[in-house]
Amino acid sequence: MAKRNGKTSAGTAKLRDAAIERLLSLQIETPSWGFSDSGTRFGKFTQPGAAVTIEDKLDDAGQVQEFTRATPTVAVHVLWDFPDGFDPAVIQYARSRGVQIGAINPNLFQDQQYKWGSITNRDAAIRKQSLDHILDSIEIGRQTKSQYLSLWFADGANYPGQADIRQRKAWATKALQKAHEAMPKRMTMLVEYKPFEPAFYFTDFGDWGMAYVFAKNIGKQAKVLVDTGHHFPAQNIEQIVAWLIDENMLGGFHFNDRRYADDDLTSGSIDPYQLFRIFNEIVAAERERGKALDIAYMVDQSHNLKPKIQAMIQTVVTVQDLFAKACLVDRDALAASQAAEDVVRSETILKDAFNADVSGLLGEVRKQLGAPADPLEAFRRSGYEQRIAKERAQRPAEATATGLG
Amino acid sequence: MAKRNGKTSAGTAKLRDAAIERLLSLQIETPSWGFSDSGTRFGKFTQPGAAVTIEDKLDDAGQVQEFTRATPTVAVHVLWDFPDGFDPAVIQYARSRGVQIGAINPNLFQDQQYKWGSITNRDAAIRKQSLDHILDSIEIGRQTKSQYLSLWFADGANYPGQADIRQRKAWATKALQKAHEAMPKRMTMLVEYKPFEPAFYFTDFGDWGMAYVFAKNIGKQAKVLVDTGHHFPAQNIEQIVAWLIDENMLGGFHFNDRRYADDDLTSGSIDPYQLFRIFNEIVAAERERGKALDIAYMVDQSHNLKPKIQAMIQTVVTVQDLFAKACLVDRDALAASQAAEDVVRSETILKDAFNADVSGLLGEVRKQLGAPADPLEAFRRSGYEQRIAKERAQRPAEATATGLG
Amino acid sequence: MAKRNGKTSAGTAKLRDAAIERLLSLQIETPSWGFSDSGTRFGKFTQPGAAVTIEDKLDDAGQVQEFTRATPTVAVHVLWDFPDGFDPAVIQYARSRGVQIGAINPNLFQDQQYKWGSITNRDAAIRKQSLDHILDSIEIGRQTKSQYLSLWFADGANYPGQADIRQRKAWATKALQKAHEAMPKRMTMLVEYKPFEPAFYFTDFGDWGMAYVFAKNIGKQAKVLVDTGHHFPAQNIEQIVAWLIDENMLGGFHFNDRRYADDDLTSGSIDPYQLFRIFNEIVAAERERGKALDIAYMVDQSHNLKPKIQAMIQTVVTVQDLFAKACLVDRDALAASQAAEDVVRSETILKDAFNADVSGLLGEVRKQLGAPADPLEAFRRSGYEQRIAKERAQRPAEATATGLG
Amino acid sequence: MAKRNGKTSAGTAKLRDAAIERLLSLQIETPSWGFSDSGTRFGKFTQPGAAVTIEDKLDDAGQVQEFTRATPTVAVHVLWDFPDGFDPAVIQYARSRGVQIGAINPNLFQDQQYKWGSITNRDAAIRKQSLDHILDSIEIGRQTKSQYLSLWFADGANYPGQADIRQRKAWATKALQKAHEAMPKRMTMLVEYKPFEPAFYFTDFGDWGMAYVFAKNIGKQAKVLVDTGHHFPAQNIEQIVAWLIDENMLGGFHFNDRRYADDDLTSGSIDPYQLFRIFNEIVAAERERGKALDIAYMVDQSHNLKPKIQAMIQTVVTVQDLFAKACLVDRDALAASQAAEDVVRSETILKDAFNADVSGLLGEVRKQLGAPADPLEAFRRSGYEQRIAKERAQRPAEATATGLG
């Protein structure tokens, strides 16, 4: 790379140092539900040792943290993780596993009452129940000192004529304004969007434009959450990210990859260059502003064939890998190349960074973080999977939670 | 319409008569699983009175037949309908409800053993189990005198590198050749394709080209099944249908509609003009050949918000409606217009038929069939739904079957 | 329809009367460039008599107005229609043809200088030239008393790394703020979006969210323009329309249809039900607000096989047809049905309106407007096409303008 | 990589040696039209020094060959390259530039007569003209000793009702059977498919299934040509490639990349991992069969912003890069990993190869081929572009050819 860009080795070393420093502070949140069995509407393939209880999930999340030292927080799903109500003891349990509770995710789609919507339901009583569940979630977040309230709504309609788009928009806005009022000042409300599934004809939070308008109408602590799998196949996600950054409205990410729909595959498994380009927009803005952007980097996947913990570590490692490469883009050279409208060179500069070998760089990062050089292999050899498969199999059966969007 | 195309009323009357005659013999198969609760991976919204047992399903299918007189057969799903093995008494029960057993659908995707595929599984024992289940299904079809063995495979892979595409193709071909040998001569094997879900990276039976090559390699009784929801959004389905007709390889349809993916909405609910154009290709070929094509018209939907029986009747009525319109296309005028490269008039001829009021025509058809003029309203007023909601609620709970592709 | 919805004939008559009244004031703008030869990147198929000069175009637009009485204005493309500068005599000429100049469209994509963008170009001189062209267009609009400045930008990039998304956003915003300041108070700036073509990697005005944010940042007279062909295949356009209405940000439409990309086919030729649903959202809002929404209904098509004037009349008639059907939706019944979560009935109410025979209704509208009952057939029989084919062929050749997005 | 897969360095060295050997014989054909100005329907941005004459194109193709030593043949476009008929002197001229004439591409879409189709035209005279042009092309191929007749048809229809799909299929088949008879035995007919553009409603050669059936019906020397940009966004191209290989029906490739439609961007510029996976299927089959597959690797791009020759070299280098990586996939380890259903490891094995640094390997290849280590930089510094910009600008203007599909 150095030669092609005419970059001195001093320049390259500087980029490498900056990348190491940035990677040291890059924290990725794992989702508690990512350790449980999940599936498709056609069935669920179970895994030996899949997490069932909140303790299992924190145990497993603790493993990801132990082997990567980059995932100190765990997002929770209120309904699945605290089916009998929040127990403050879980804060302590998490700490004992080396992790903390991260984003709080209400669940407003699974119960029968949500058949026609949650905060968009025409039944005022169900709208109130929905809001109450969000308020409860905020209260849990207050106790866990969570920075994020993360909202995804399955609401929508399956057929033309079924529902009133504008009326539902008004109901949703009103409910979320109330939730916003109840939030502690340090909490951010993340508004997620998704153009399809499980509602088929329209989803009330359908695209980034809708999430943006919702957030603007809700209040200053509301930001947009980008789930990388919630777009149409050819949509330019990095452009949306750049726009949200520019409008100071990017709150966070849900990472996953897909071929066609919301396949919830592990990040970077289908189109790693796209994820690199997303990170490239972030790093570019961070360089300009001279500081890291305040973005929640969260994983949300439903890898139903890969072993859960391995899949999570693989995702974390992939995110680090691609983020590190984005840090290596020679921005001075790129600016010069863009100024000359030298498209070939500009593209080459991105590709050089994408093709760069970052194993040494990440090895240094992991060394400083206290993680093994190859987290995935180290975990695979640790025997943890074999142990939990045995231990958890011996417990009496319990209903397992299912994956989410 | 008559005036614009310069069609004499005699010509119009002839088209109308031909449409009535064609509609009298248009039979649409309902799926047993379309009467049970179904859902998405995010949950299932239950309906009061949803069918659970094979008897429930045949009762409900009998209702659709009673109110439409156009659905004399019911497709069955071996695993869900005969969980304890096939009981010949069901043939008699069906007859008592005014229907017959139609296409036999093996289920090769739900059990844990199929995690890595069924007839494509690298484990020879699972491949054998899969083939055995198909052979059992053929045997059931022999007893029920079913004309169709309808095959859909969820097989595929979620990640690049996971599986060997060509090896799996060979395994699948070999298994289906054996199944083909076991089929009675009057039975047709329908090979369905689907480009996504539940396998995300590739599906072994991915598109019509693959289904076509599979069928050619399997044997003469193998044909292609077109599920209208199993295509990419902008794919021209009527062109595929025309090609399959031309190659004598169109075996049947699974009707449903969708906005983005395999949404399994009721037929014609999102894009009725597309379904009309599909029927237009069929009617055009039938006129040329002077006889009805031998095609299985089957419904496969997973309408999880609409009441099950209403949704089924609505679909049947919609299919009849659009098929009748396709019969009204003035093919002489169209041929003349195409010969003159008069694109505007050619399109107008199609649109005139699509916009034609076929209520009178279908009223006549229903009168002759012995069905009410408005099947949907008649059913809604019949009190059947209220009755089963009450009766079935009083029974002890049983596990319900889930929807399929 | 009446019977199924339990609608009294009085109710139906009221809907019909309201539809007639609404249709009487529905005006659709034709584009001057829609009368010239256009094509694809693979070539242009010429038509005898295709318009070349602004006079030709106004002659032809006058024909559409004469036969429909619904298209009193003609959008102009500054570069193509006034290549030597604006001539006020054209205002008079238009009037003599029974039409007026409508929306003013600058052209900022055809000249070599725009290779790297227009108002997003990094070269300040080109940005200034671009703005100057827009200011000139505003001045033309002032003279022609046009209500709309209609802006579409081909700007974007073809390759990752080529351009700085946020920097270009800032340049575009700044230029359009200046243009906004120069606009007369009664003029509306329409900001169009398009997710692909001719820029391939990203387009600076990529989706409705970007157009919305641009418009908000530009000024109060800026609104969003929805071109029905500028979306990904499965995007729910009527939802976007409903949102823009709700936010008072819907400025206008460019009508056309397509199968996959920006095919620029005649409106409603591929998916008429979708266009009906778009109109349904407009009519619903108009009923609630008790007045017609202030929306520019404009045609923008590039039908390169259909004869130009016929295609335009066909589009106008189709838009009227589908808008009339949207007026027939029984909104009281729909509200009641939605309140009961009766999805089947709600859909049926929409479909009944979509399937309604509106030929009588539109015959009445045309009678009152002074147009023939069947504008398309009347025009085809008028001999105009044969006449211009002969007359225009005898003129010396001139370079014709090409189509636009 | 070596460590993670437990691969001995001997194994790695063996893979590297095999990759070098394979790359030495990997030849990529450049297209003559790729050196001329091209554009979109919105306009064409000209480049100084863009090739106009066949001599220019061969000069430029000779440069690509000189700097890469991997592009010894040049595909020609009969209409554009031999507007006044084929001149055998061109064979000699090519040789003088170090290249040979490769695939012969008839042009059956640009002339006015093809408005309603070429070999699918209902006018028998135009069908004959089309066939005659193909026969002429075969004759040229005979003289140039070309191995490939490469066929792409723009034929199709823009509107429902416009054309008879099955009738056109019959006409096309018949014409191509005749062309097939006229081909020398060593010539292969490549049948290309494309699902959209420039025909919008349907294209007669719409997808790989249609191309496959056409080829089967035409004759033994007919194979399928895969243009990587001619698919819907999420289609799994590598699966199609694997199927065509398995059926011995893969004739060749047209390389390019895209974000949404047939954007004709340089190869690997948007989704390099996809192109790697395509090559992975080829290499896998080659290893199994113990020999290189007989596939035509051809570039077909319309990079209208990048300098033509640079873009071509960049593409060649990218193809080599990704093909080399595909050669590095540790197939023994992959087979073992797949046998263990170890999805995580299988994916890792692919990714390790994709992430491998192949610059040393390709440096060795280029050294043996006699090409500079960095062909793109060497060419940029050569001064050739500046020279032709000057020389060609001084010639009298001539009409330049436009890009193709």
Side-chain angles (χ1 to χ4, degrees), chain A residues 3-4 233-236 259-260 266-274 277 305-307 310-311 314 317-318 321 325 342-345 347-348 351 354-357 374 376-377 380, chain D residues 4 233-236 259-260 266-274 277 305-307 310-311 314 317-318 321 325 342-345 347-348 351 354-357 373-374 376-377 380:
Chain A
K3 195 165 54 182
R4 197 177 300 171
Q235 265 189 289
N236 188 320
R259 182 173 66 91
Y260 177 61
T266 51
S267 297
S269 60
I270 302 295
D271 190 352
Y273 191 40
Q274 182 185 64
R277 295 193 307 263
L305 292 181
K306 288 182 177 175
Q310 285 190 47
Q314 193 181 31
V317 166
T318 300
D321 189 74
K325 290 174 175 206
D342 188 341
V343 184
V344 168
R345 173 149 285 169
E347 186 192 342
T348 300
K351 280 286 190 70
F354 178 65
N355 287 326
D357 183 349
D374 189 335
L376 183 57
E377 281 303 300
R380 284 169 64 112
Chain D
R4 196 178 301 171
Q235 266 189 290
N236 188 320
R259 182 172 65 91
Y260 177 61
T266 50
S267 297
S269 60
I270 301 295
D271 190 352
Y273 191 41
Q274 182 185 64
R277 296 193 307 263
L305 292 181
K306 288 182 178 177
Q310 285 191 46
Q314 193 181 30
V317 166
T318 301
D321 189 74
K325 290 175 175 205
D342 188 341
V343 184
V344 168
R345 174 150 283 170
E347 186 192 342
T348 300
K351 280 285 190 71
F354 178 65
N355 288 326
D357 183 349
D374 188 334
L376 183 57
E377 280 303 300
R380 284 169 63 112

Side-chain angles (χ1 to χ4, degrees), chain B residues 297-338:
Chain B
Y297 297 101
M298 302 181 290
V299 177
D300 183 11
Q301 295 168 169
S302 180
H303 28 77
N304 53 24
L305 292 181
K306 288 182 177 176
K308 296 289 173 180
I309 305 171
Q310 285 191 47
M312 202 64 78
I313 293 175
Q314 193 181 31
T315 281
V316 172
V317 165
T318 300
V319 167
Q320 290 178 313
D321 190 73
L322 295 168
F323 204 102
K325 290 175 177 207
C327 289
L328 292 185
V329 171
D330 186 337
R331 293 185 192 282
D332 296 336
L334 183 61
S337 175
Q338 288 180 345

Side-chain angles (χ1 to χ4, degrees), chain B residues 59-71:
Chain B
D59 289 346
D60 295 354
Q63 289 291 304
V64 179
Q65 164 65 348
E66 183 178 327
F67 284 90
T68 66
R69 310 308 299 171
T71 60

Side-chain angles (χ1 to χ4, degrees), chain C residues 71 117 121 123:
Chain C
T71 60
N121 201 303
D123 182 335

